[in-house]
Amino acid sequence: RSRQDRHYFVVIDSRPDPRSLPHSFSDLQILYDNPKETVWKFVNNLRDRPYETTLSTFSKFSEYLLYRNPETRPDEDVADLFNQRLMETPTAVIKSSVEEEGYHVVGRSALLPPRPVVCRGQPLSIQQWASATDDEGRISDVDSIKSIIFKGGVSPSLRYDVWKFLLGYYPWQSTNAERQDLRKQKIEDYFRMKLQWRSMTAEQESRFSDFRERKSLIEKDVNRTDRTVPFFSGENNPNLVLLYDILMTYVMYNFDLGYVQGMSDLLSPILSLMSNEADAFWCFVGFMDKVYRNFDMDQAGMKKQLSQLHTLLTAAGPDLSSYLDEHDSGNMFFCFRWLLVWFKREFSHDDIMTLWEVLWTGLPCSNFHLLVCVAILDTEKAIITDSNYGFTEILKHINDLSFKMNLEKLLCEAEAIYLQLENAPNLTMSTKRVLGLAPDVSPTSTSSDDDSIVDASPDKPESESFTDDFEQGFERAITTNYY
Amino acid sequence: MSYAYLFKYIIIGDTGVGKSCLLLQFTDKRFQPVHDLTIGVEFGARMITIDNKLIKLQIWDTAGQEAFRSITRSYYRGAAGALLVYDITRRETFNHLTTWLEDARQHSNSNMVIMLIGNKSDLESRREVKKEEGDAFAREHGLIFMETSARTAANVEEAFINTAKEIYEKIQEGVFDINNEANGIKIGPQHSPSNASLPPGSQSSSPSSGCC
């Protein structure tokens, strides 16, 4: 591309044989009728409208190769070859969510390997837990314990102990004696913080509006959290006081965050399991440490996750992702509740315990909870697209899935999708970042907009500045497609 | 059941003013004080009759806490009516009305009908906001106003139905472009000119609309 005139491109054919162009087109089996004529039409048009012709033709090819039904698609080899070419050059198709007037935006899906069949395992048993615990109480082979939990959860009777490790209350390497000391310290800390708000005078409170606001919100919300669950049901249930006290103490523990709706949902299963106030508090703190960004005042953390979810969906199910884009739903807002409280409102109390302990393992990748979303959406894809649902209907349909989903099946699917993505040859860099398969970028850079294809070839193109220029031009070009 | 029109409503207002309870009272005719707090948005729907026409109200109930405002905003789009709710026993929920109203006006279509609701009118002894104040606020901002009680069901039907009547009148006057779904109004399936072939019987439940 010329530096003087941005409309001027030089196309170099490394093979001077004039027959090679029509020949390679025939190989692709794209042009059925008269390849030669089509090619010459292209050449003529190229002379008159070089930029448009190049781009529209190129996008037609990419669309043909990547999106046509398998039966009309040329041999996988050809497609693979084509993909490889895309990866080796910096001209790769870049996904973009910007729609310009008169252009249709296309995304390029990575060609995924077939989805494997994945089975769930047995929950971590008392025996397994005992044999992983040494004489002094240290937990050995944490990785395999975690992977058992990831595959099958934890036996209910072990949860009281195991959750404390999963939530960072106890270090895995601590001894029984150390844990005893630690717990003593934690309980003391808890009650010190509790005393801070308990000892506040009415006068003090009257001049402390931030505190008052939080307090009144918590008062309201503990009365409407899981009241159908036996642990919290009935009038004047004493456990509601525990729920209240822990949330109030958390306000003192982390006043910057304070209390945001959704937190009581995250605390409720933990409290009902731990029963003990201080233990529940510290486990809740551990959970909050993982998800505090969900409760940003400006919802930046939620928006980031929704966009990451969109990235993953684009990689794993491009059809659905473009359907959503075309139906005002590309912002993924309909998944808001899922993400805010980690599916708490979607599954039964028992299922939530399993799901959370699976997610707490951090296996098999970062943001596995987003893959659970992808698995649900994948299951619902046919209904959404076949019924031609719009923004409202999608939101309603997703909301109505509550308590109707099969967790075990979804976890299998989510893991299978992960394996598919992990083995996909050409995931975008941003997809890899979301899954933790590539290093995260510094928070200052605009990672969510950067969807560049991972450059698999170690040889960097000769001139960086030329490449950047080239990339930007093609980014604009390739994401626009004449319809 | 097929309807002549579908109106989309949104319920907004501070957290804990009784938005979900109003919705539940209207759709299910029951009061459930221990209803889980709303996260994101929830739905309700009910058929009503205005001018002998069946109208389906599709109601979106939103989370009230301020942190969720930026997400809730996206739901204003395409609403024909809004119920802006405050709690007569909590002055601050009344004080926040201006912010809510600004937000609603800014993110909705200009014809959206807004009904101001002072809820919990059964708790007279704890009243902090006088009825006259609600009245004055509504007059000043061109809203319809009512005090309701989701607990006793007082005025709940009226609140939803009066809003619908106002929207219906606007349709009759030609203020609303009913062919633009962004206005929060949809013509029922059998009334749509583009959908002529329907199974027999679907026509029977309501007379065909003589829509403007």
Side-chain angles (χ1 to χ4, degrees):
Chain A
R1 182 171 169 198
S2 163
R3 284 196 178 279
Q4 278 74 40
D5 180 353
R6 58 192 214 83
H7 298 296
Y8 184 62
F9 286 84
V10 181
V11 181
I12 303 160
D13 188 353
S14 54
R15 291 166 297 188
D17 182 355
R19 283 165 307 174
S20 65
L21 196 60
H23 182 69
S24 56
F25 279 130
S26 325
D27 284 351
L28 282 168
Q29 301 169 27
I30 294 172
L31 314 164
Y32 292 114
D33 310 330
N34 190 343
K36 210 171 248 173
E37 192 192 297
T38 317
V39 169
W40 279 114
K41 211 168 113 191
F42 163 74
V43 170
N44 282 330
N45 284 343
L46 189 68
R47 215 159 18 209
D48 302 336
R49 294 175 289 127
Y51 192 65
E52 284 173 38
T53 309
T54 312
L55 300 182
S56 65
T57 309
F58 193 66
S59 54
K60 274 175 191 157
F61 280 133
S62 53
E63 192 193 354
Y64 185 89
L65 279 161
L66 301 165
Y67 292 112
R68 287 289 178 265
N69 296 327
E71 64 267 24
T72 57
R73 195 157 67 190
D75 296 340
E76 284 295 323
D77 301 355
V78 181
D80 281 346
L81 232 130
F82 187 75
N83 269 309
Q84 243 160 35
R85 293 296 309 159
L86 285 176
M87 279 171 59
E88 283 161 9
T89 56
T91 63
V93 184
I94 314 292
K95 195 213 119 260
S96 163
S97 57
V98 185
E99 251 183 77
E100 287 173 48
E101 215 177 317
Y103 294 85
H104 179 72
V105 178
V106 293
R108 188 177 74 88
S109 64
L111 288 179
L112 296 179
R115 192 176 296 179
V117 177
V118 171
C119 297
R120 296 283 300 156
Q122 291 297 314
L124 179 71
S125 68
I126 297 171
Q127 203 180 2
Q128 284 167 319
W129 182 245
S131 66
T133 311
D134 73 13
D135 293 341
E136 293 187 293
R138 290 185 199 87
I139 310 301
S140 59
D141 205 2
V142 177
D143 289 346
S144 65
I145 291 288
K146 278 189 183 170
S147 74
I148 293 170
I149 298 173
F150 171 70
K151 290 300 278 184
V154 179
S155 297
S157 60
L158 280 177
R159 278 181 178 145
Y160 179 79
D161 290 326
V162 177
W163 279 22
K164 289 177 187 158
F165 292 91
L166 286 172
L167 291 169
Y169 182 165
Y170 293 148
W172 297 90
Q173 297 312 321
S174 57
T175 62
N176 284 329
E178 285 164 349
R179 289 203 286 271
Q180 228 164 14
D181 290 346
L182 192 64
R183 182 158 185 254
K184 221 176 108 193
Q185 182 61 46
K186 294 261 187 197
I187 290 173
E188 209 174 286
D189 288 350
Y190 172 78
F191 285 103
R192 186 180 308 122
M193 287 185 286
K194 184 174 172 179
L195 198 63
Q196 287 168 358
W197 63 266
R198 295 271 290 211
S199 60
M200 204 170 293
T201 67
E203 267 226 336
Q204 244 185 318
E205 235 185 277
S206 72
R207 287 184 296 266
F208 199 173
S209 58
D210 278 353
F211 175 81
R212 250 186 358 256
E213 235 168 68
R214 282 155 194 192
K215 187 178 161 189
S216 99
L217 201 53
I218 293 172
E219 270 165 14
K220 282 192 167 302
D221 286 352
V222 295
N223 282 311
R224 38 184 194 161
T225 300
D226 278 335
R227 298 300 299 282
T228 49
V229 174
F231 190 79
F232 296 109
S233 67
E235 293 272 307
N236 301 319
N237 185 321
N239 293 325
L240 294 180
V241 179
L242 295 184
L243 196 65
Y244 175 81
D245 287 358
I246 294 171
L247 289 170
M248 285 299 290
T249 307
Y250 189 81
V251 167
M252 300 316 287
Y253 173 79
N254 187 352
F255 201 86
D256 287 346
L257 187 58
Y259 170 77
V260 182
Q261 289 185 331
M263 288 186 190
S264 64
D265 275 86
L266 298 185
L267 171 57
S268 139
I270 293 176
L271 177 58
S272 69
L273 180 82
M274 295 289 157
S275 290
N276 176 294
E277 191 179 343
D279 287 341
F281 174 82
W282 287 108
C283 286
F284 175 64
V285 166
F287 195 3
M288 283 302 298
D289 285 349
K290 294 178 194 290
V291 297
Y292 69 97
R293 291 294 314 273
N294 285 11
F295 302 99
D296 287 344
M297 197 54 200
D298 59 359
Q299 293 289 288
M302 284 300 293
K303 284 174 184 163
K304 181 179 177 196
Q305 282 184 80
L306 291 167
S307 124
Q308 289 176 326
L309 171 58
H310 189 271
T311 302
L312 292 186
L313 186 65
T314 305
D319 304 352
L320 182 58
S321 128
S322 48
Y323 179 91
L324 295 175
D325 291 344
E326 286 157 18
H327 291 77
D328 277 348
S329 301
N331 57 23
M332 311 300 285
F333 278 177
F334 54 91
C335 301
F336 181 84
R337 191 174 70 191
W338 293 356
L339 297 178
L340 186 79
V341 292
W342 274 26
F343 308 95
K344 166 73 170 28
R345 299 290 181 95
E346 320 308 321
F347 295 101
S348 70
H349 199 70
D350 288 345
D351 274 353
I352 270 303
M353 297 217 170
T354 307
L355 175 58
W356 285 359
E357 59 205 10
V358 166
L359 295 176
W360 288 334
T361 63
L363 295 174
C365 57
S366 311
N367 290 308
F368 185 68
H369 67 298
L370 298 179
L371 288 178
V372 176
C373 297
V374 173
I376 301 174
L377 293 175
D378 190 62
T379 315
E380 301 305 316
K381 180 173 125 185
I383 297 175
I384 291 171
T385 56
D386 293 354
S387 325
N388 200 28
Y389 282 163
F391 178 77
T392 310
E393 291 86 1
I394 294 171
L395 186 56
K396 189 162 165 26
H397 180 74
I398 295 298
N399 264 11
D400 290 346
L401 292 174
S402 178
F403 285 83
K404 290 179 194 153
M405 295 183 281
N406 180 330
L407 179 65
E408 292 295 306
K409 226 174 100 189
L410 283 171
L411 285 173
C412 291
E413 282 306 295
E415 189 187 346
I417 292 169
Y418 167 70
L419 294 171
Q420 258 185 310
L421 292 176
E422 188 197 23
N423 295 308
N426 43 20
L427 280 191
T428 64
M429 199 55 173
S430 55
T431 309
K432 290 198 168 201
R433 276 194 209 110
V434 175
L435 296 175
L437 300 173
D440 206 355
V441 284
S442 63
T444 46
S445 84
T446 54
S447 62
S448 58
D449 299 331
D450 177 13
D451 250 351
S452 53
I453 304 279
V454 185
D455 193 348
S457 68
D459 317 311
K460 282 278 161 212
E462 54 296 320
S463 156
E464 283 294 336
S465 73
F466 171 78
T467 317
D468 289 349
D469 198 27
F470 199 64
E471 237 173 11
Q472 280 165 22
F474 259 92
E475 180 163 355
R476 272 198 305 279
I478 247 58
T479 52
T480 54
N481 180 13
Y482 285 81
Y483 226 47
Chain B
M1 233 189 324
S2 65
Y3 49 84
Y5 295 109
L6 180 149
F7 296 165
K8 182 182 148 184
Y9 279 18
I10 179 165
I11 312 184
I12 52 175
D14 275 11
T15 179
V17 295
K19 297 182 291 294
S20 303
C21 290
L22 281 168
L23 175 61
L24 198 67
Q25 182 59 263
F26 179 66
T27 57
D28 291 28
K29 298 193 192 306
R30 65 193 168 96
F31 179 68
Q32 196 186 4
V34 294
H35 188 277
D36 277 355
L37 63 102
T38 307
I39 287 178
V41 61
E42 273 163 34
F43 286 89
R46 207 188 107 181
M47 289 287 192
I48 58 167
T49 311
I50 291 175
D51 195 15
N52 282 323
K53 288 186 183 65
L54 269 183
I55 291 174
K56 182 174 179 175
L57 300 185
Q58 180 189 69
I59 306 149
W60 297 38
D61 172 27
T62 61
Q65 199 182 354
E66 198 177 344
F68 302 118
R69 209 69 75 81
S70 68
I71 301 280
T72 318
R73 274 189 199 117
S74 66
Y75 303 122
Y76 287 118
R77 195 185 36 164
L83 305 189
L84 171 54
V85 188
Y86 69 93
D87 174 354
I88 65 153
T89 70
R90 274 160 64 216
R91 165 70 55 183
E92 73 268 21
T93 65
F94 182 77
N95 294 342
H96 295 152
L97 288 178
T98 324
T99 334
W100 279 110
L101 199 59
E102 270 168 20
D103 224 33
R105 290 247 156 96
Q106 197 183 336
H107 295 93
S108 66
N109 74 71
S110 53
N111 291 315
M112 183 168 81
V113 173
I114 304 176
M115 159 78 81
L116 179 66
I117 291 181
N119 192 35
K120 309 197 185 176
S121 64
D122 55 299
L123 300 175
E124 194 55 52
S125 61
R126 284 164 49 193
R127 181 189 279 276
E128 285 184 7
V129 184
K130 288 199 209 92
K131 194 174 176 196
E132 292 72 41
E133 293 176 86
D135 244 333
F137 185 92
R139 237 176 304 127
E140 190 188 331
H141 295 92
L143 318 172
I144 341 171
F145 172 63
M146 268 189 156
E147 283 198 347
T148 61
S149 165
R151 183 186 297 270
T152 66
N155 272 344
V156 173
E157 287 277 309
E158 289 80 353
F160 284 90
I161 290 172
N162 289 358
T163 309
K165 279 183 183 158
E166 182 103 353
I167 296 167
Y168 184 77
E169 273 165 29
K170 282 199 175 185
I171 295 174
Q172 304 297 97
E173 290 164 8
V175 177
F176 270 124
D177 175 9
I178 49 168
N179 294 314
N180 182 358
E181 276 188 30
N183 283 327
I185 298 165
K186 234 160 123 176
I187 309 174
Q190 87 282 24
H191 298 267
S192 161
S194 63
N195 198 351
S197 59
L198 271 153
S202 64
Q203 208 84 7
S204 64
S205 54
S206 74
S208 79
S209 118
C211 66
C212 53

